[in-house]
Amino acid sequence: MRSPNRQAMDRISLPAEPEALDELVDYVQTLSAMGGLTRTRAHWLRLAAEELIVNIITHGHRDRPGEVELTGGVEPGRVWLRLVDSAPPFDPTAYEAVPDLERPLGEREPGGLGVYLARTVADQIRYEYVSGRNQTTIIMNRV
Amino acid sequence: MSFNAILTHDGSTALIKLEGELDALTAETFRREVERAAEAAAELLVLEMSELSYMSSAGLRGLVFARQKLADDVRIVLVGANDAIEQTIRLVGFHHSVDFSDAIPE
C-alpha cells in the first residue's frame, strides 16, 4: 500500500515531565509509519525527537510544571514533527556547544550531546519563537 | 517501553547484556549495572548489544560513565551493535574510547 501524500496527526499535549517520553515515542512511531519512513530514518526521527523533548523538559522547564504540544504530518517529500513549549526561549539551531569529538571519553564532561545529535541526525530543524512559545520542527525527508 | 541490563562475570571479563530500548527513562538501569561491573574490578567490560534496538544520548552518557568508572587499562568492547547505534556512537567520537566487535572476545 502506498503511503498517502498528505496527512496530519492529531495535536496532543504532554506534561513536561520525563514520563512524557513514552507517549512521544508512540506518537513518533505512528507518524513514521504514516510517512513510510525507512527503519533507519524512523530511528533518527525518534532520536531527534527524544533529544529535543528531554532538553525542553530538563533545561527549559527545570521541574516546573508545563506542557509540550506535539503536532506532526506527512507531505509529499517529507515528514515533520513540531514541539511547542512555553519554556524560556531556546533555539536549538543556534546552540553552539559542539562536543569535543576527539577528546577521550574519560576526560569528557557529561551532557552537551543531545542537541548536537538531534541536529546531526535530522534532515532539518527549524525554530521560531512565536507568542511566547518555542516552536521546534524536525523535518525528515521521505527517501 | 522495555529495557533490561544483565551483568554476568566470566573470569576477568564482565559482560552486560543490553536488551530493548536505552533512553532517558531507562538509562539509570544501565548505570547501575556499570557501577556493579566497576566494583568487580574486571579487565574487560563487554556490552552485548545484539538485542538492543535503540540508544539515545542517555545511553552515550552511560558509556562516558563506564569509561570514567573503570580503570584506564580496562577495555570496553561493544558487541553486535546495530548500524544506527554504531553510527550514533561514531557521530560523537566515542569510537576512540571503545572497541566494536562482532563477537564476544575470548
Side-chain angles (χ1 to χ4, degrees):
Chain A
M1 193 175 70
R2 285 198 58 199
S3 300
N5 275 340
R6 265 178 210 283
Q7 212 172 334
M9 300 272 292
D10 289 337
R11 177 194 311 262
I12 66 166
S13 194
L14 304 178
E17 51 192 52
E19 288 65 29
L21 191 53
D22 280 339
E23 273 186 85
L24 173 83
V25 171
D26 288 343
Y27 194 88
V28 169
Q29 285 175 343
T30 304
L31 177 62
S32 292
M34 190 184 270
L37 292 185
T38 63
R39 193 187 170 99
T40 300
R41 302 189 70 68
H43 192 113
W44 297 142
L45 176 59
R46 174 178 174 180
L47 183 60
E50 173 182 334
E51 302 302 349
L52 291 173
I53 201 169
V54 166
N55 194 63
I56 290 166
I57 293 166
T58 57
H59 300 296
H61 284 279
R62 291 176 189 274
D63 299 326
R64 286 189 299 268
E67 290 189 337
V68 182
E69 194 181 276
L70 297 184
T71 47
V74 174
E75 294 177 5
R78 58 196 199 164
V79 169
W80 60 272
L81 173 73
R82 178 171 294 159
L83 297 86
V84 179
D85 67 84
S86 306
F90 175 76
D91 179 356
T93 66
Y95 185 65
E96 293 292 339
V98 172
D100 183 353
L101 302 180
E102 297 299 320
R103 200 162 170 203
L105 278 196
E107 298 170 8
R108 291 200 195 192
E109 300 292 326
L113 294 172
V115 173
Y116 171 78
L117 265 186
R119 285 172 57 172
T120 307
V121 301
D123 287 316
Q124 197 184 342
I125 294 179
R126 290 191 187 164
Y127 173 80
E128 277 186 294
Y129 191 70
V130 181
S131 309
R133 304 206 301 171
N134 295 292
Q135 295 193 355
T136 308
T137 308
I138 304 167
I139 293 163
M140 295 300 290
N141 297 331
R142 298 166 76 191
V143 289
Chain B
M1 208 176 306
S2 72
F3 174 74
N4 250 321
I6 302 152
L7 172 68
T8 54
H9 290 94
D10 181 2
S12 58
T13 297
L15 185 147
I16 302 176
K17 181 162 177 57
L18 306 174
E19 297 174 337
E21 302 165 56
L22 179 47
D23 67 8
L25 290 179
T26 59
E28 185 55 34
T29 305
F30 176 42
R31 277 172 71 103
R32 266 202 310 273
E33 293 305 280
V34 166
E35 209 143 40
R36 287 180 58 213
E39 283 163 11
E43 290 171 11
L44 173 68
L45 173 64
V46 175
L47 300 176
E48 212 287 306
M49 296 185 164
S50 59
E51 302 294 322
L52 188 69
S53 57
Y54 174 83
M55 188 179 75
S56 70
S57 69
L60 295 173
R61 281 189 286 278
L63 292 180
V64 175
F65 179 72
R67 191 61 278 169
Q68 292 174 344
K69 276 277 170 186
L70 297 168
D72 288 346
D73 58 350
V74 177
R75 269 176 80 207
I76 299 177
V77 179
L78 312 186
V79 175
N82 73 30
D83 289 348
I85 291 174
E86 180 168 340
Q87 208 177 326
T88 302
I89 290 166
R90 290 183 184 277
L91 282 174
V92 296
F94 285 15
H95 56 293
H96 298 305
S97 304
V98 299
D99 296 322
F100 290 99
S101 174
D102 292 333
I104 295 171
E106 292 294 326

